[in-house]
Amino acid sequence: MKRFFASLVLSFLLFSPSFADGVKIDGKNLTFDTPDLKAKLSLDGTELSGKDVSWSVADPYVVSVDEEGNVVSLSGGETVVTAASGSSKVDFSVKVEEPSRAPTSDVLDAKSLSGKIEVVMCGDSIMRDYAPNAVDQYGLGQAMKEFWDSSKVEVDNSVSNGGRSSRYFYNEPSRWPTVKKMLEDNRKSGKTTVVFFSFGHNDQRSLAGGDSKVGPYGASFTFAERNQNGTVAGTHYDYIERYIVETRELGGIPVMLSPFVRKYLNNGKVTEKGRHNMEAKAGGEREPRGNYPEAMRKAAEKHNAIFVDMTKMSAEEVADFEAEKKTKLLYISSDSTHERKFGAFELASLVTKDLKKRGYFSDYIVEAEPRAFVGANTLSFGRCDPNTDKILSFDISLFCMDSGKLTLKAPKCYSVSLSKNGEYSSKLEIDCSKIKFGTEIFVKFTPAKVSDYNGKLELFLDSAKLEFGNFEGAPSPSKKVRISLSGSGKEKITDGKMLKVAWPLVDSGHKFTAKASVESAAASASKVLPLDARVVGLDTLEPDREFSPDDEGEYVSLFKYKGGTWPVNDSGAMVEDCYIEFAIPASKQNLVVNGFSFFAGSSGSKDMRWHAFYSTDKDFKNPTQFVKDGKGSYKDVTEEFSTSEALGLSLKGKGTVYVRIYPANKDTKENSENAFMLSNFTAYCLIREK
């Protein structure tokens, strides 16, 4: 074995041919010119697997090493990589050099440009484009398109994506290398390119615990200015410098935007952590991460690059909104990080006004039109007892508006108010000058009898256009828009035989089976109802008794996504083509479905999310949601959380109630090993006499 290790030598494979001179080998010494390089440790040119040799690294922040002997440079400094087999081992000294870049300057003057230009946005989930979704999520780059003169400027936001840090974006082939190709092509054609950069949120991911494990394009984490070993290489500062220098080398103009603040508040102000100044040590690290916006500022100052302190400006903006208790107008409802459409427009306005005030791109930046954002395009009240009230709400956000009159008219059995407990009427007039930033509108539904009440809430604004948030099916902006309202008065039914139908997973064939029990009835429920269940876009895994909720032999269903990496729940709604469906047919019985319950959770992490809907349409059109943003471990699910209200869905001998549970994942990090847990889906019904 000693002879085996005596002949251990190095060969290497690199991420990119452009780094061919970036790794130096001298015996047992390995030197990387920079982070982002990859070397392969092997024996006499033969690759070694984990079963032959185990690898370790003294400082995992300098380089990482996997069981196959792949070494990836992460930060400046020196460390030791050890290869071991049995009682034998050999050490390799590894060093990652520090960057040394001379100050640079823009080839073109951003204050006196002429001709057509292209603006390219580079960033993370704060910047990217979003398809219409349930929580009105929208990107800064998406909104920025309306703040540039379209006759002179082409805005490209195609490379921004969620989960990207300044490090990961730099290495991923479809991100920064794609932007460099755009710069090269534009330089050849004589077109000026302006590149905006905004990172920081995902740079704060930890290296410990696998949250930022090294993948095919490196890691995500960075420290702000100095790594915990006191070096600069691989920091946020380092990558911001790279973007500035490389953009200029290709004839472009870099613009640096510090990150949007998180909604972390204390006494009405955004905390230091919310401002991305990470003062506390994280993940067992020896040193705090530092101040990311300040690191970007210093890199920009060294190179005299355009820097926009979006962190400072958005912190002040959020504090102003918090003083009015209206920060929910800026952020989506499911977290304290991502902006709604109105929030994206506010950010875009802050950025472009700051640039124009300082004389940058003055002939290209325009003011977006004033508008009022409507926070919902549909309101579904479900089924209510006649002459009882149910109240839902939506918001109106005012962008660049301080005047005008907004009028709302409600249809029969609906009424509106500015206060949940205030006076409701069928018509409401609002003086926009008196609702700073916007307001919440409350809609009350009071069914008069057992009937469906579907109608339109009309909104009219005399001074500007009304525009819906980023919702699916939202109509075009107009002075007059309508919100679809749906609700039903339900029959109060108490007579009949109680029927509880449950679907546990049995261990034979790993398939769903119907198992029903009837309370206060002698008939076999399986003969009463031919029940059905199906799984779409998911694989059912081997059930595990460890997760059984009781001792009656019932199993928990474990699901993984067929596509490998789970869809991301950044919309707060259902992810199409990925669900578990249960069907409760009337089957010529006078059946009333009153409610549902189930147990659900995450396996492998706590990052699974799920939503549940029901519909009486076989194509699942116009479903009603009864569980929104389910999350947590299996034991965290409670009966109150997972049970719907008494629905009173009377099928009267025909029709079917369909229930779908849509699982997804919290975010874009590696999640293919996570599983969704589900058991004991139950429908609560009544069977009435003919």
Side-chain angles (χ1 to χ4, degrees):
M1 184 61 66
K2 291 182 179 178
R3 184 177 180 183
F4 176 89
F5 278 103
S7 61
L8 194 63
V9 297
L10 296 171
S11 66
F12 58 88
L13 302 173
L14 303 180
F15 277 142
S16 168
S18 63
F19 294 134
D21 297 325
V23 181
K24 299 179 180 67
I25 303 171
D26 179 16
K28 293 180 183 178
N29 298 316
L30 177 64
T31 301
F32 294 89
D33 280 355
T34 177
D36 310 322
L37 302 186
K38 182 178 182 180
K40 176 72 177 180
L41 297 176
S42 62
L43 174 65
D44 294 331
T46 302
E47 294 185 3
L48 302 174
S49 64
K51 63 184 178 182
D52 300 315
V53 179
S54 62
W55 303 91
S56 61
V57 58
D59 189 339
Y61 286 89
V62 177
V63 297
S64 72
V65 61
D66 63 19
E67 62 181 14
E68 301 297 328
N70 294 303
V71 180
V72 179
S73 58
L74 299 175
S75 304
E78 300 182 28
T79 189
V80 174
V81 173
T82 301
S85 181
S87 60
S88 300
K89 67 177 183 178
V90 64
D91 293 334
F92 299 92
S93 296
V94 182
K95 181 179 181 180
V96 182
E97 300 282 9
E98 286 284 84
S100 179
R101 302 184 184 96
T104 61
S105 59
D106 286 325
V107 177
L108 301 172
D109 183 359
K111 295 183 178 181
S112 59
L113 292 177
S114 61
K116 293 187 177 181
I117 67 173
E118 181 171 14
V119 172
V120 180
M121 302 293 177
C122 300
D124 48 30
S125 57
I126 302 301
M127 183 72 81
R128 60 163 281 193
D129 284 358
Y130 288 90
N133 58 78
V135 293
D136 187 24
Q137 192 163 352
Y138 208 75
L140 169 60
Q142 214 168 351
M144 284 278 275
K145 296 170 186 177
E146 296 204 33
F147 291 79
W148 297 84
D149 186 340
S150 60
S151 68
K152 300 177 182 178
V153 184
E154 178 185 354
V155 179
D156 189 310
N157 193 36
S158 62
V159 293
S160 296
N161 203 10
R164 272 55 183 180
S165 66
S166 60
R167 179 199 293 271
Y168 202 87
F169 187 95
Y170 185 86
N171 292 313
E172 191 176 5
S174 59
R175 307 301 164 196
W176 180 234
T178 298
V179 177
K180 290 172 73 174
K181 181 64 166 54
M182 294 180 187
L183 283 159
E184 290 172 356
D185 291 345
N186 284 345
R187 180 171 62 176
K188 290 177 182 177
S189 65
K191 182 189 290 185
T192 300
T193 310
V194 179
V195 188
F196 283 76
F197 298 91
S198 184
F199 298 100
H201 288 265
N202 299 295
D203 290 66
Q204 297 163 28
R205 291 186 173 188
S206 65
L207 183 62
D211 186 38
S212 187
K213 64 183 180 181
V214 178
Y217 311 123
S220 288
F221 87 95
T222 67
F223 282 72
E225 290 183 63
R226 292 279 174 180
N227 292 301
Q228 63 176 4
N229 54 22
T231 61
V232 173
T235 61
H236 188 61
Y237 178 96
D238 181 16
Y239 288 98
I240 296 305
E241 258 206 304
R242 296 184 193 207
Y243 290 129
I244 294 171
V245 172
E246 292 178 26
T247 298
R248 286 173 168 171
E249 286 175 346
L250 294 170
I253 300 175
V255 179
M256 318 314 291
L257 307 179
S258 62
F260 177 39
V261 295
R262 301 184 195 271
K263 191 175 60 175
Y264 298 165
L265 302 170
N266 184 23
N267 294 324
K269 305 295 183 183
V270 179
T271 65
E272 287 299 307
K273 185 176 181 181
R275 292 171 178 256
H276 307 284
N277 182 10
M278 313 304 287
E279 300 174 309
K281 299 175 185 178
E285 294 168 353
R286 298 189 300 270
E287 299 293 335
R289 288 295 182 89
N291 191 323
Y292 290 89
E294 190 62 20
M296 178 180 274
R297 179 196 297 277
K298 288 182 178 179
E301 286 179 349
K302 173 183 174 179
H303 294 276
N304 195 28
I306 302 171
F307 171 74
V308 178
D309 198 341
M310 190 165 69
T311 306
K312 180 177 183 294
M313 292 190 297
S314 61
E316 294 170 352
E317 180 100 335
V318 169
D320 288 344
F321 274 75
E322 176 62 15
E324 300 289 326
K325 304 301 179 186
K326 292 176 181 178
T327 53
K328 67 179 183 179
L329 301 179
L330 298 172
Y331 293 89
I332 63 173
S333 58
S334 54
D335 65 38
S336 298
T337 299
H338 299 96
E339 72 275 33
R340 298 175 63 182
K341 189 172 184 179
F342 171 68
F345 269 72
E346 286 288 307
L347 283 182
S349 180
L350 290 175
V351 170
T352 51
K353 283 182 178 178
D354 181 75
L355 288 170
K356 194 166 186 176
K357 180 180 178 181
R358 292 155 61 190
Y360 296 118
F361 316 114
S362 299
D363 292 337
Y364 298 91
I365 293 173
V366 297
E367 292 185 10
E369 293 182 3
R371 66 199 74 192
F373 288 97
V374 183
N377 63 323
T378 62
L379 291 176
S380 178
F381 290 82
R383 302 171 62 81
C384 308
D385 292 329
N387 299 312
T388 61
D389 300 329
K390 184 172 183 178
I391 298 173
L392 298 178
S393 69
F394 67 96
D395 48 62
I396 299 286
S397 307
L398 304 182
F399 175 74
C400 293
M401 281 184 56
D402 55 9
S403 63
K405 184 174 71 172
L406 175 65
T407 303
L408 298 90
K409 293 182 180 180
K412 182 181 180 181
C413 293
Y414 293 94
S415 54
V416 288
S417 177
L418 284 174
S419 171
K420 185 175 182 179
N421 298 317
E423 182 179 346
Y424 285 80
S425 63
S426 60
K427 183 177 179 180
L428 180 64
E429 293 185 346
I430 301 172
D431 183 350
C432 295
S433 66
K434 295 181 179 180
I435 53 169
K436 190 175 182 181
F437 308 133
T439 189
E440 189 170 9
I441 306 293
F442 296 89
V443 184
K444 181 190 290 185
F445 172 50
T446 311
K449 58 183 180 180
V450 178
S451 181
D452 293 332
Y453 293 91
N454 300 324
K456 303 285 187 180
L457 176 62
E458 294 185 349
L459 294 83
F460 175 77
L461 182 60
D462 62 0
S463 59
K465 287 185 178 180
L466 289 159
E467 180 170 323
F468 285 97
N470 194 30
F471 302 113
E472 188 173 355
S476 301
S478 175
K479 285 186 172 294
K480 186 176 183 179
V481 299
R482 296 175 176 84
I483 297 176
S484 297
L485 306 176
S486 64
S488 300
K490 68 181 181 183
E491 183 180 0
K492 191 169 185 179
I493 302 170
T494 58
D495 62 305
K497 297 176 180 179
M498 294 297 299
L499 176 68
K500 186 174 77 171
V501 185
W503 281 264
L505 180 73
V506 297
D507 59 350
S508 176
H510 313 156
K511 295 180 180 179
F512 284 106
T513 183
K515 176 184 177 183
S517 62
V518 180
E519 299 176 10
S520 69
S524 169
S526 61
K527 294 180 181 179
V528 174
L529 298 174
L531 304 161
D532 191 20
R534 66 186 180 122
V535 178
V536 175
L538 301 165
D539 286 323
T540 309
L541 305 179
E542 180 76 28
D544 191 336
R545 298 284 299 214
E546 178 185 350
F547 297 114
S548 180
D550 51 40
D551 296 322
E552 298 178 2
E554 296 178 351
Y555 289 82
V556 174
S557 310
L558 296 178
F559 299 97
K560 284 199 174 182
Y561 184 57
K562 282 188 175 180
T565 301
W566 281 94
V568 175
N569 174 32
D570 61 3
S571 69
M574 60 181 104
V575 177
E576 295 293 346
D577 302 323
C578 175
Y579 57 84
I580 304 103
E581 180 182 87
F582 302 91
I584 307 104
S587 302
K588 300 182 180 180
Q589 302 289 330
N590 193 349
L591 185 71
V592 180
V593 181
N594 273 331
F596 317 107
S597 68
F598 60 89
F599 291 88
S602 296
S603 177
S605 77
K606 293 186 178 181
D607 292 334
M608 295 303 300
R609 298 290 185 264
W610 57 91
H611 314 281
F613 299 77
Y614 70 85
S615 176
T616 56
D617 184 89
K618 66 178 181 178
D619 295 323
F620 219 68
K621 296 177 181 177
N622 301 317
T624 298
Q625 190 168 31
F626 67 96
V627 173
K628 184 176 182 180
D629 200 25
K631 56 189 173 183
S633 65
Y634 179 79
K635 293 181 180 180
D636 288 339
V637 180
T638 65
E639 188 75 6
E640 179 182 358
F641 180 72
S642 60
T643 304
S644 68
E645 64 184 67
L647 303 177
L649 284 169
S650 181
L651 300 183
K652 296 182 180 179
K654 61 181 180 179
T656 301
V657 176
Y658 300 91
V659 178
R660 289 184 183 178
I661 300 168
Y662 292 83
N665 203 260
K666 177 183 177 182
D667 59 28
T668 56
K669 70 181 181 181
E670 293 291 332
N671 60 42
S672 58
E673 295 303 312
N674 298 344
F676 174 60
M677 305 167 63
L678 179 69
S679 74
N680 283 16
F681 177 83
T682 303
Y684 301 91
C685 312
L686 285 172
I687 295 182
R688 306 179 72 195
E689 297 296 330
K690 291 288 186 180

